[in-house]
Amino acid sequence: MPRDGTETRTLIMDAAQELILQHGFAGTSVDAILERVSLTKGAFFHHFRSKGELAQALIERFAAADEAVLRSALERSERLTRDPVQRLLLFVSLLEEQAAALIEPYPGCLFASFCHEAQLFDEDVHGVIRAGFEHWQAEVSARVRAAMAHRPPRLEVSPDDVAAMLTAVVEGAFILSRSLNDAALLARQLRHYRNYLELLFGDP
Amino acid sequence: MPRDGTETRTLIMDAAQELILQHGFAGTSVDAILERVSLTKGAFFHHFRSKGELAQALIERFAAADEAVLRSALERSERLTRDPVQRLLLFVSLLEEQAAALIEPYPGCLFASFCHEAQLFDEDVHGVIRAGFEHWQAEVSARVRAAMAHRPPRLEVSPDDVAAMLTAVVEGAFILSRSLNDAALLARQLRHYRNYLELLFGDP
Amino acid sequence: MPRDGTETRTLIMDAAQELILQHGFAGTSVDAILERVSLTKGAFFHHFRSKGELAQALIERFAAADEAVLRSALERSERLTRDPVQRLLLFVSLLEEQAAALIEPYPGCLFASFCHEAQLFDEDVHGVIRAGFEHWQAEVSARVRAAMAHRPPRLEVSPDDVAAMLTAVVEGAFILSRSLNDAALLARQLRHYRNYLELLFGDP
Amino acid sequence: MPRDGTETRTLIMDAAQELILQHGFAGTSVDAILERVSLTKGAFFHHFRSKGELAQALIERFAAADEAVLRSALERSERLTRDPVQRLLLFVSLLEEQAAALIEPYPGCLFASFCHEAQLFDEDVHGVIRAGFEHWQAEVSARVRAAMAHRPPRLEVSPDDVAAMLTAVVEGAFILSRSLNDAALLARQLRHYRNYLELLFGDP
DNA sequence: ACAAGCGGGACTACCCGTTGTT
DNA sequence: AACAACGGGTAGTCCCGCTTGT
């Protein structure tokens, strides 16, 4: 095996993410991360110039994975049906399906985690988070708009806000599921979000 | 008021809460809190045996205030109308009204904050948070059930989950509003939650 | 004894100065200082917010002591004779007398020490050093000018440069005395500086 | 020149010397040196067994260059005149000429620098420094003695001390010139040293 | 000859909490 | 009730130098 640091770097990031989701960023020491992966400070600071740079690397990776989930669900929903309203509902159902699978490892959203310690991070980090949220909102909003164009909703609503509600429900569900120790809570909440859309676009 | 320590204790707790909502608990040092209120260690450890005890005092105070908000909105909604469905919708509207007033200083939920650093706190603290969430859920669930008894909903739903969705939307909205720097987001999301209830119990 | 930190602070500074003159600033760890005085990190960072602040405190104290030496020698020389040329020569002789006493503890100039690690310090520190040098130069230069007015020198010279030479000789002598392990070198060099002045203002 | 390591070695040493003159030896990390020359640890430890060995190599190189300056000035002064007093004065004038050329990059003496962090180096390093100082002193002292033999000085002086004064003035001038940001200071101080010699050997 | 990965330890800075004093 | 001094430990950062690979 050619001495490849990428593996070690990934190892560190995986351990870091898991710990951060449980203890928060400030509550997760570099030592604690390294103990998990049996490495030393030397290795850590070879890969990351500072703990802040680790944070940067982590949200960037998380944002990429998050976007992949969004894109996959969007693309599948568009392949499976042509009706804009059905597409939207199916999209949420696909997310719900994924959420039902989330039990182990302990779930959590790095975006939310970092937001709750906002002052610890620089503008770069917050930029990535904001971009992540805005990307979901923009993509979902476009599908809501398409559905509205296809069938007028029962109530007058802003597509942007309807889209934002998806993110809000997901983030809120994460918190509740952890506190109430109820892993299925997220999926059930997504079902209610789908209910809302169904009622909004349903026959009068 | 006699020169007693209650004042100082409150001063410390206020400063602590504000800082914790911005930096997280682990990211907020006792020294940082004390610098804000121009006090020294002696004062702090006179009022709190440890930093953990401060956390305990903070969520207890927060939970009490949170419950007051819930109780007030419930009571007012019950005074203003007799119809169970209207009561429920009015209840959400009253919360929305309050949310619209929240602009400065920037709000946040201590429950969510502590949940994101879960491993830092003992079972006592988590008990208070869980009780807080469950209390909302129980009270709101009861009103949803009453509404369902009064008028069958368009879709078959669990009252508990409908109630939980309120909390989820609120917590999620807090995160989004902070990241997107949009103070009015919470109120708009509550409006959508009310929309959902309205559609659920609306005429077919 | 009332819990007085001034004593501890002085203790730390004394140990720090001694070590810095031997190892340089970067080469002197806070731990090494504290070991000397049997204190812990807690004590150190209670008195100094950073190692840099210690540096600041050290040169300020050193500059004050340095100025006291200058002032004392000047005042004594002015009390002992009226002739401007004699005053100048006597002034140097008084310094020479003091230098001869410098054997233990190991001598050295904090100004020079810090200059040799210039980039480690901020502008405040360098300001104090520069002010120290300029103060000597200004005071001595004034006496040289008075001597020149009283008796024209054999060679045309700038009083500022003649004054600067005193500082240069002293600083250079410190370096040599350390490398050559010759404690009396400084006094002998001051004698040569006095020779120069004597010849400059001597009878043709 | 074939692509050999001598070039890299010199590159490292040049960067190291420049940094050390600004930050001191302890304040200059191997990494900082390597960043300057865009190399990595592998290169450094290929050429030097340790950081201490770099120090050794640096003063040896510096001492050689220093001696070359001395020899050159001595030889030129001896070629240009036969009178021992004139030779001595001319020798200082030649140094002054060289000093006047020193403006950019800002100079410094590695001997003095290392002396201010004396305890960091082993006896080998100090031996080289001491030898450097003693060599100047011996050579200059011999010329002073020759001048004294040729023309008795106005004051009774030790040739060794007169010779040492040259080094002292130079070293002191370096410190002052850096603190006062006056590149021409060294040349002016050499002029005063020459004045001293001139007066010492001048006609009564 | 040089690059990269990494170990192990030292550094400054800061943490929480205790003690003595007023 | 509150302050200043301080202990003891840990945090993040950087250090030097060794090893492995090209």
Side-chain angles (χ1 to χ4, degrees):
Chain A
M1 167 181 45
R3 216 42 139 55
D4 184 8
T6 320
E7 208 176 336
T8 301
R9 191 184 156 96
T10 305
L11 225 61
I12 293 174
M13 287 177 72
D14 290 345
Q17 179 160 333
E18 202 177 335
L19 286 172
I20 288 171
L21 288 174
Q22 287 168 17
H23 305 82
F25 184 76
T28 302
S29 74
V30 173
D31 276 329
I33 297 166
L34 293 169
E35 199 183 1
R36 277 236 177 170
V37 291
S38 300
L39 287 168
T40 59
K41 298 275 183 72
F44 182 88
F45 285 97
H46 172 73
H47 290 287
F48 307 95
R49 257 199 296 266
S50 69
K51 198 187 174 191
E53 202 176 282
L54 168 67
Q56 183 81 30
L58 281 174
I59 17 107
E60 274 167 14
R61 190 179 72 160
F62 188 87
D66 184 61
E67 209 217 300
V69 169
L70 169 63
R71 188 139 311 276
S72 154
L74 284 176
E75 283 173 4
R76 286 177 65 204
S77 72
E78 272 151 31
R79 239 181 287 123
L80 294 168
T81 173
R82 298 202 79 92
D83 180 88
V85 172
Q86 287 310 311
R87 277 183 170 173
L88 185 57
L89 296 174
L90 181 56
F91 164 68
V92 178
S93 295
L94 290 173
L95 294 178
E96 191 185 328
E97 218 176 74
Q98 282 216 22
L102 279 184
I103 296 175
E104 182 103 46
Y106 213 72
C109 173
L110 220 48
F111 287 169
S113 191
F114 281 15
C115 279
H116 280 282
E117 300 174 278
Q119 298 298 316
L120 268 50
F121 305 100
D122 55 39
E123 197 41 51
D124 285 354
V125 169
H126 286 296
V128 174
I129 295 173
R130 189 165 36 243
F133 284 144
E134 283 170 349
H135 189 59
W136 273 76
Q137 187 164 332
E139 294 289 344
V140 177
S141 182
R143 269 70 181 183
V144 172
R145 224 181 326 262
M148 285 168 70
H150 187 73
R151 197 172 336 161
R154 270 181 174 149
L155 297 172
E156 200 180 344
V157 293
S158 139
D160 276 1
D161 286 347
V162 173
M165 196 187 196
L166 171 58
T167 311
V169 165
V170 171
E171 294 295 349
F174 269 124
I175 295 170
L176 283 178
S177 82
R178 189 172 305 194
S179 179
L180 304 174
N181 197 29
D182 176 354
L185 194 145
L186 172 58
R188 297 204 308 277
Q189 288 301 317
L190 280 171
R191 158 62 56 118
H192 280 283
Y193 179 70
R194 216 195 66 148
N195 282 352
Y196 178 38
L197 296 177
E198 211 175 316
L199 290 169
L200 209 50
F201 293 107
D203 303 301
Chain B
M1 190 188 331
R3 186 184 171 286
D4 69 338
T6 318
E7 209 177 338
T8 299
R9 189 182 157 95
T10 305
L11 221 62
I12 292 174
M13 288 176 73
D14 290 346
Q17 179 160 332
E18 202 177 334
L19 286 172
I20 288 170
L21 288 175
Q22 288 168 8
H23 305 82
F25 184 76
T28 303
S29 74
V30 173
D31 280 327
I33 297 166
L34 292 168
E35 197 184 3
R36 269 239 175 169
V37 292
S38 301
L39 288 169
T40 57
K41 292 283 176 63
F44 183 88
F45 285 98
H46 175 74
H47 290 286
F48 305 95
R49 243 196 303 258
S50 70
K51 198 189 173 191
E53 202 179 281
L54 168 68
Q56 184 81 28
L58 280 174
I59 17 106
E60 276 167 11
R61 190 180 71 160
F62 187 86
D66 184 59
E67 208 217 301
V69 168
L70 168 62
R71 188 139 315 276
S72 154
L74 284 176
E75 284 174 3
R76 286 179 65 204
S77 72
E78 272 151 30
R79 240 181 287 124
L80 292 168
T81 175
R82 299 202 79 92
D83 180 271
V85 172
Q86 287 309 313
R87 277 183 170 174
L88 185 58
L89 296 175
L90 182 56
F91 164 68
V92 178
S93 295
L94 289 172
L95 293 178
E96 191 186 328
E97 218 175 72
Q98 282 214 21
L102 283 182
I103 296 176
E104 184 103 48
Y106 218 68
C109 173
L110 219 50
F111 287 168
S113 191
F114 281 17
C115 279
H116 280 282
E117 298 174 280
Q119 301 298 314
L120 268 51
F121 304 100
D122 54 39
E123 198 39 52
D124 286 355
V125 169
H126 285 297
V128 174
I129 294 172
R130 189 163 39 242
F133 284 144
E134 284 171 348
H135 188 60
W136 274 75
Q137 186 164 334
E139 295 287 345
V140 177
S141 183
R143 268 70 181 182
V144 171
R145 223 181 327 263
M148 285 169 70
H150 186 73
R151 197 172 334 160
R154 270 181 174 149
L155 297 172
E156 199 178 346
V157 293
S158 140
D160 276 3
D161 285 347
V162 173
M165 195 188 195
L166 172 58
T167 310
V169 165
V170 170
E171 294 294 352
F174 268 125
I175 295 170
L176 283 179
S177 80
R178 191 172 302 198
S179 180
L180 304 175
N181 197 29
D182 177 354
L185 195 145
L186 173 57
R188 296 205 309 277
Q189 287 302 316
L190 281 171
R191 159 62 56 117
H192 279 282
Y193 179 69
R194 217 196 62 149
N195 282 352
Y196 178 38
L197 296 177
E198 210 175 318
L199 291 169
L200 208 50
F201 294 107
D203 303 301
Chain C
M1 167 181 45
R3 231 10 155 66
D4 184 10
T6 321
E7 207 177 337
T8 302
R9 191 183 155 96
T10 305
L11 224 61
I12 293 174
M13 287 176 72
D14 290 345
Q17 179 159 332
E18 201 177 336
L19 286 172
I20 288 171
L21 288 174
Q22 287 168 17
H23 306 82
F25 184 76
T28 302
S29 74
V30 174
D31 276 331
I33 297 167
L34 293 168
E35 199 183 1
R36 276 236 176 169
V37 290
S38 299
L39 286 167
T40 60
K41 298 278 181 70
F44 182 88
F45 286 99
H46 172 72
H47 289 287
F48 306 96
R49 257 199 296 266
S50 69
K51 200 188 173 189
E53 202 177 282
L54 168 66
Q56 184 81 29
L58 281 175
I59 18 106
E60 275 167 13
R61 190 180 72 162
F62 188 86
D66 184 60
E67 208 216 301
V69 169
L70 168 63
R71 187 139 312 276
S72 155
L74 284 176
E75 283 173 4
R76 286 177 65 203
S77 71
E78 272 151 30
R79 239 182 287 124
L80 293 169
T81 173
R82 297 202 80 94
D83 180 87
V85 172
Q86 287 309 312
R87 277 182 170 175
L88 185 58
L89 296 175
L90 181 56
F91 164 68
V92 178
S93 295
L94 290 172
L95 294 178
E96 192 186 327
E97 216 177 75
Q98 282 213 25
L102 279 184
I103 296 174
E104 182 103 47
Y106 212 71
C109 173
L110 220 48
F111 287 169
S113 191
F114 281 15
C115 278
H116 280 282
E117 299 173 279
Q119 299 298 314
L120 268 50
F121 305 99
D122 55 38
E123 198 40 52
D124 286 354
V125 169
H126 286 295
V128 174
I129 295 173
R130 189 164 36 243
F133 283 144
E134 283 171 348
H135 188 59
W136 273 76
Q137 186 163 332
E139 295 288 344
V140 177
S141 182
R143 269 70 181 182
V144 172
R145 225 182 323 265
M148 285 168 70
H150 186 73
R151 196 171 336 161
R154 270 183 174 146
L155 298 172
E156 200 178 344
V157 293
S158 141
D160 277 3
D161 286 346
V162 173
M165 196 188 195
L166 171 58
T167 311
V169 165
V170 171
E171 295 294 351
F174 269 124
I175 295 170
L176 284 178
S177 82
R178 190 171 306 193
S179 179
L180 304 175
N181 197 27
D182 176 355
L185 194 146
L186 173 56
R188 296 205 309 277
Q189 287 301 317
L190 280 171
R191 159 61 55 118
H192 280 283
Y193 179 69
R194 216 195 66 148
N195 283 351
Y196 178 36
L197 296 177
E198 210 175 316
L199 290 170
L200 209 49
F201 294 107
D203 303 302
Chain D
M1 190 189 332
R3 189 185 168 284
D4 70 339
T6 318
E7 209 176 340
T8 299
R9 191 183 156 94
T10 304
L11 222 62
I12 293 174
M13 287 177 72
D14 290 345
Q17 179 159 333
E18 202 177 335
L19 285 173
I20 289 170
L21 289 174
Q22 287 168 8
H23 306 82
F25 184 76
T28 302
S29 73
V30 173
D31 281 328
I33 297 166
L34 292 168
E35 199 185 2
R36 271 239 175 168
V37 291
S38 300
L39 287 170
T40 57
K41 293 283 176 65
F44 183 86
F45 286 97
H46 174 75
H47 290 287
F48 306 95
R49 245 197 303 261
S50 70
K51 198 189 174 190
E53 202 178 280
L54 169 67
Q56 184 80 29
L58 281 174
I59 17 107
E60 274 167 12
R61 190 180 72 161
F62 188 86
D66 185 60
E67 208 216 301
V69 169
L70 169 63
R71 187 138 314 278
S72 154
L74 285 176
E75 282 174 4
R76 285 178 65 203
S77 71
E78 271 152 32
R79 240 181 287 121
L80 293 168
T81 174
R82 298 203 80 91
D83 179 89
V85 173
Q86 286 310 312
R87 276 182 171 173
L88 185 57
L89 296 176
L90 182 56
F91 164 68
V92 178
S93 294
L94 289 173
L95 293 178
E96 190 185 329
E97 218 176 71
Q98 281 214 22
L102 282 183
I103 297 178
E104 185 103 47
Y106 218 67
C109 173
L110 219 50
F111 287 169
S113 192
F114 281 17
C115 279
H116 281 280
E117 299 174 280
Q119 300 298 314
L120 268 51
F121 305 99
D122 55 37
E123 197 40 52
D124 286 355
V125 169
H126 285 296
V128 174
I129 295 173
R130 189 163 37 244
F133 283 143
E134 284 170 349
H135 188 59
W136 273 75
Q137 187 164 334
E139 294 289 345
V140 178
S141 183
R143 270 70 181 182
V144 172
R145 224 181 325 264
M148 283 168 72
H150 186 73
R151 195 172 338 161
R154 271 184 174 146
L155 298 172
E156 200 179 344
V157 292
S158 138
D160 276 2
D161 285 347
V162 172
M165 195 188 196
L166 171 58
T167 311
V169 165
V170 170
E171 294 294 352
F174 268 125
I175 295 171
L176 283 179
S177 81
R178 192 173 300 199
S179 179
L180 303 175
N181 197 29
D182 176 355
L185 196 145
L186 172 57
R188 296 205 308 277
Q189 288 302 317
L190 281 172
R191 159 63 55 119
H192 280 283
Y193 179 68
R194 217 196 63 148
N195 282 351
Y196 178 38
L197 296 178
E198 211 175 316
L199 290 169
L200 209 49
F201 293 107
D203 303 301

